[in-house]
Amino acid sequence: MKNSKKKLLNLLAVSLFCAYGSQSHAELTMDNNFAAIQPPKNLYGLKEQTLSPINDPRDALLKSEGSCDLGGDDYAIGHMIWDGQTYYITAQQYQSAAQCAESDRVNINPHYKSKTLPNGGICELFLYDDKLKLLTRQKVKLPDIAGGSWCNGSFALGRATKSMDAILYSLMYYRVNDPIAGSIKAIGTGWIRSTYLFRLEKDADGKPYFEQDNSCLGSPNHYATIPDARKALAQCETK
């Protein structure tokens, strides 16, 4: 009788574990197909084929906050289906409002030499629903280094691994205190390419948000591409 009872309890425990495990990971797919939404019409009444940077909602938002130098073509986009819902992700490199104000002082006084402010260059993630309503945003937390860092490149977004509800974001930054390049040839020699992991979570009301996770890839790291970061994640998963 005791053995039968013990077997029943073990079976119940396994069942609960399996039920919990099936809910802990939601299916996630990702591509860069922004044309999946109903695109806006141009001046000729024709539908645009893709969501271009011109009608990307993040630009207007950042400008309204006083930010500038929104990176031009230096951006990353992603169309994502997660837990049965459609989302759009954009990543942007830009200058903070404080850095923009610092640079504008040159227009008032041509003799003023503007400074590069710590963390004056920002890389940030934005998550939208299928109607391009902003759901959440998250600035990348770069390494806490003396003098601060400056994010100056936003390259790519991609899914992490099949077993994770997470995305990878590849970017570039440099240390503000590093000496300025003395020649054209030396430009970029101190810039650091990195890829960071962001887990997708939901709060008590079901609203999604990003959670930066450096436990495997580390910070700083030198995983320059998303495939490089995926290999490192696979090694962490096998340990």
Side-chain angles (χ1 to χ4, degrees):
M1 185 72 178
K2 287 184 178 180
N3 289 336
S4 299
K5 203 170 186 181
K6 187 175 182 181
K7 287 180 180 179
L8 183 61
L9 288 173
N10 287 339
L11 182 61
L12 181 60
V14 170
S15 300
L16 289 172
F17 175 80
C18 292
Y20 174 79
S22 65
Q23 295 175 359
S24 63
H25 171 65
E27 185 178 357
L28 187 155
T29 61
M30 192 169 175
D31 56 47
N32 61 359
N33 181 22
F34 266 76
I37 65 168
Q38 192 65 252
K41 293 182 179 181
N42 60 23
L43 294 175
Y44 303 99
L46 301 174
K47 291 180 179 179
E48 299 286 352
Q49 296 301 308
T50 60
L51 182 68
S52 69
I54 295 174
N55 53 48
D56 188 331
R58 66 188 162 175
D59 288 357
L61 173 64
L62 291 170
K63 287 178 181 177
S64 71
E65 296 172 349
S67 302
C68 62
D69 190 18
L70 303 181
D73 293 332
D74 190 19
Y75 64 97
I77 60 175
H79 160 250
M80 182 178 73
I81 297 177
W82 177 47
D83 200 16
Q85 299 294 317
T86 297
Y87 299 94
Y88 293 91
I89 302 177
T90 63
Q92 179 72 60
Q93 181 271 323
Y94 63 94
Q95 290 185 19
S96 67
Q99 183 66 63
C100 296
E102 173 69 16
S103 301
D104 285 344
R105 291 187 181 127
V106 177
N107 298 326
I108 301 173
N109 181 5
H111 300 291
Y112 180 79
K113 188 176 181 180
S114 61
K115 302 174 183 177
T116 300
L117 303 179
N119 307 310
I122 298 170
C123 282
E124 186 169 6
L125 288 170
F126 300 83
L127 183 67
Y128 301 89
D129 66 10
D130 59 347
K131 304 300 182 184
L132 289 185
K133 176 185 176 182
L134 182 63
L135 299 175
T136 190
R137 56 194 291 191
Q138 178 65 54
K139 294 178 182 178
V140 180
K141 298 174 185 175
L142 293 174
D144 186 13
I145 53 180
S149 55
W150 176 288
C151 199
N152 65 332
S154 177
F155 298 116
L157 292 170
R159 189 181 66 175
T161 67
K162 292 182 179 180
S163 62
M164 301 175 69
D165 294 344
I167 64 166
L168 292 166
Y169 178 20
S170 291
L171 50 82
M172 182 168 64
Y173 69 96
Y174 64 88
R175 302 169 188 272
V176 173
N177 277 357
D178 282 357
I180 298 175
S183 65
I184 295 178
K185 188 177 180 180
I187 294 176
T189 54
W191 297 352
I192 303 168
R193 287 285 299 266
S194 294
T195 300
Y196 286 91
L197 176 75
F198 288 85
R199 293 187 180 274
L200 286 158
E201 306 283 357
K202 289 184 179 180
D203 62 18
D205 297 323
K207 182 180 178 181
Y209 65 93
F210 294 112
E211 185 74 33
Q212 184 170 336
D213 183 354
N214 299 329
S215 59
C216 175
L217 300 180
S219 182
N221 73 65
H222 293 275
Y223 300 111
T225 67
I226 287 177
D228 289 341
R230 283 198 186 116
K231 289 178 183 178
L233 288 172
Q235 291 178 354
C236 286
E237 288 181 337
T238 57
K239 292 181 180 178

